[in-house]
């Protein structure tokens, strides 16, 4: 059995994340300080399909999970006996992918006697805002109440957090998630996979005012909708194609991106005003978008917490950060835990 007593300081958590197409393991101290952070990406494998191929993703996780965990332990110069707990992504995500990480985490827990904690992937994205970046001066963590905006490939969720692990749901997307809209528009514009970074790159050379694409404000609601915007891009592409005009990909990408950024920032700022929140956390893959980061940070009414780029897209450091909060609040799971592919956070 693990001889170390749970304490709130110097808590070392090893986390495993395999919810989609990144095989990842990381070790963090007290949910903030990185000892190791290993991510084996499968981007090249899925690029030829233009999206994640679930069966291939799980097979690749099986090949990579052991070396990735071993590397995380090696980089941290730690053995399992020197850790306090194992955190693992339980969902949401691809069932076959989640199972690989879950079985690895269970095996580690069974072999070492370390407690096991199942983590919601979205909670992980959120807690990436608490990770201390190695490069910068020590940053202060977000302060409650917090408006939390999670924008990823599968989710666009707005919440208010009045304390750790306490989520009050405000709104989410009624159709496409923000990242999904980026990915679909990338396909429409023939931009390479993965779509979000490709749209960003094209947009940087385009005119954001070239096309006046619609913004779904959904006044009076905290929800989002991006499918109308995506359809507007499609219609414009078809119209131009019909006239034999070369698609101005860069202008379209810039005009689309600015419409998404306008909606996300406006709703988050309105929510912060409404709930008297000074701090806003923006997390998830889409928070890597430079235009979105700039739009959030180019104001001085609110204090914005957006994780460094490497913690925006899927990684295990964020799962360890959330795992720390669950650990110190007494949450424990056991070997009967199963994956939960549609697990809602709230
Ligand atoms: O959080 P994440 O890595 O995986 C999920 O949990 O879904 O998010 C992936 C999503 C994809 O839709 C990807 O296109 C988008 O995040 N993304 C971006 C950027 N980088 C990743 N979207 C816009 N701009 C980016 N720079
Ligand atoms: Zn994610």
């Amino acid at each position: 059995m693990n001889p170390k007593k749970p304490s709130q300081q110097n808590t070392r958590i090893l986390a495993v994340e395999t919810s989609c197409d990144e095989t990842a393991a990381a070790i963090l101290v007290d949910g903030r300080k990185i000892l190791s952070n290993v991510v084996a990406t499968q981007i090249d494998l899925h690029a030829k399909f233009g999206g994640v191929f679930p069966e291939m993703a799980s097979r690749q996780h099986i090949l990579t999970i052991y070396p990735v965990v071993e590397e995380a332990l090696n980089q941290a110069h730690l053995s399992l006996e020197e850790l306090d707990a194992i955190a693992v992504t339980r969902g949401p995500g691809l069932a076959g992918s989640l199972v690989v990480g879950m079985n690895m985490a269970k095996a580690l827990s069974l072999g070492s006697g370390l407690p096991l904690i199942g983590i919601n992937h979205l909670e992980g994205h959120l807690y990436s805002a608490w990770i201390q970046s190695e490069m910068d001066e020590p940053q202060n963590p977000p302060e409650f109440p917090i408006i939390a905006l999670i924008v990823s490939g599968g989710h666009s969720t707005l919440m208010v957090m009045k304390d750790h692990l306490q989520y009050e749901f405000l709104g989410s997307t009624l159709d496409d998630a923000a990242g999904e809209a980026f990915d679909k528009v990338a396909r429409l514009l023939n931009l390479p996979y993965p779509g979000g970074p490709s749209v960003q790159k094209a947009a940087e050379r385009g005119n954001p005012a070239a096309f006046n694409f619609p913004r779904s404000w959904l006044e009076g609601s905290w929800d989002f909708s991006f499918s109308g915007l995506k359809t507007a891009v499609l219609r414009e592409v078809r119209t131009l194609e019909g006239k034999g005009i070369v698609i101005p990909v860069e202008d379209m990408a810039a005009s689309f991106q600015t419409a998404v950024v306008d909606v996300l920032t406006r709703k988050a700022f309105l929510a912060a005003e409404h709930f008297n929140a000074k701090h806003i956390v923006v997390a998830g893959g889409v928070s890597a978008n430079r235009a979105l980061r700039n739009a959030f940070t180019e104001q001085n009414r609110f204090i914005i917490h957006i994780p460094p780029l490497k913690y925006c897209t899927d990684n295990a450091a964020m799962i360890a950060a959330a795992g720390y909060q669950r650990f110190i609040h007494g949450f424990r799971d056991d070997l009967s835990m199963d994956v939960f592919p549609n697990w809602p956070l709230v």
Side-chain angles (χ1 to χ4, degrees):
M1 284 297 283
N2 174 34
K4 262 184 105 174
K5 284 252 172 338
S7 70
Q8 302 215 345
Q9 291 221 317
N10 276 326
T11 299
R12 293 160 171 170
I13 294 189
L14 166 67
V16 175
E17 148 71 40
T18 60
S19 65
C20 191
D21 59 340
E22 322 279 3
T23 318
I27 300 175
L28 263 69
V29 179
D30 295 341
R32 298 207 76 200
K33 187 171 174 262
I34 303 268
L35 295 185
S36 61
N37 180 36
V38 182
V39 182
T41 181
Q42 303 179 4
I43 282 182
D44 293 345
L45 196 67
H46 301 288
K48 53 182 171 291
F49 304 105
V52 177
F53 192 141
E55 179 62 24
M56 279 178 66
S58 35
R59 281 164 189 257
Q60 191 62 27
H61 284 310
I62 291 170
L63 297 176
T64 342
I65 187 70
Y66 190 87
V68 164
V69 168
E70 200 170 40
E71 180 64 16
L73 286 163
N74 287 345
Q75 280 184 15
H77 305 292
L78 289 173
S79 61
L80 280 177
E81 295 70 46
E82 294 168 287
L83 302 175
D84 293 282
I86 312 281
V88 60
T89 307
R90 193 180 168 201
L94 301 170
S97 290
L98 289 164
V99 162
V100 179
M102 178 61 74
N103 285 341
M104 182 69 186
K106 283 182 182 175
L108 291 167
S109 169
L110 184 63
S112 63
L114 289 169
L116 181 66
I117 307 168
I119 298 296
N120 186 298
H121 180 82
L122 300 176
E123 186 165 81
H125 273 304
L126 197 50
Y127 273 95
S128 61
W130 272 258
I131 297 172
Q132 187 70 59
S133 166
E134 303 92 327
M135 315 288 242
D136 308 328
E137 292 295 302
Q139 309 112 325
N140 293 324
E143 286 172 29
F144 300 106
I146 293 166
I147 292 299
L149 174 68
I150 305 177
V151 273
S152 68
H155 296 84
S156 301
T157 307
L158 192 65
M159 300 181 296
V160 58
M161 276 180 86
K162 294 189 177 147
D163 204 346
H164 279 298
L165 309 178
Q166 306 294 316
Y167 311 107
E168 221 173 281
F169 176 82
L170 298 181
S172 66
T173 182
L174 301 177
D175 36 59
D176 293 343
E180 194 180 354
F182 268 94
D183 296 334
K184 286 179 176 171
V185 165
R187 252 174 263 148
L188 282 177
L189 298 178
N190 268 323
L191 292 168
Y193 174 85
S198 299
V199 170
Q200 170 178 311
K201 200 163 159 221
E204 277 163 5
R205 294 184 301 269
N207 172 9
F211 296 90
N212 187 20
F213 289 134
R215 278 94 169 129
S216 262
W217 297 119
L218 302 179
E219 297 290 353
S221 150
W222 298 117
D223 287 330
F224 303 100
S225 165
F226 295 108
S227 79
L229 170 60
K230 173 200 66 191
T231 308
V233 177
L234 171 68
R235 233 183 276 123
E236 195 65 49
V237 168
R238 295 287 176 262
T239 305
L240 294 174
E241 278 173 351
K243 292 181 183 163
I245 297 173
V246 178
I247 307 296
V249 170
E250 293 164 357
D251 286 349
M252 280 207 164
S255 303
F256 159 78
Q257 179 176 270
T258 200
V260 175
V261 168
D262 280 356
V263 172
L264 293 176
T265 47
R266 176 149 184 261
K267 290 248 161 170
F269 293 152
L270 278 176
E273 263 164 27
H274 187 88
F275 290 93
N276 255 328
K278 186 96 186 118
H279 292 248
I280 301 177
V281 166
V282 189
V286 180
S287 69
N289 184 270
R290 203 167 300 141
L292 184 71
R293 297 169 84 88
N294 290 343
F296 267 109
T297 49
E298 282 165 1
Q299 52 76 41
N300 47 26
R301 284 184 299 154
F302 307 106
I303 298 167
I304 307 297
H305 304 263
I306 312 184
L309 287 183
K310 63 179 161 185
Y311 306 129
C312 289
T313 45
D314 291 349
N315 64 85
M318 67 187 200
I319 303 302
Y324 169 71
Q325 287 300 331
R326 292 264 158 207
F327 180 78
I328 62 171
H329 284 86
F331 288 82
R332 302 290 184 272
D333 288 292
D334 59 34
L335 298 177
S336 68
M337 170 168 53
D338 202 355
V339 299
F340 195 163
N342 299 313
W343 193 11
L345 178 57
V346 276

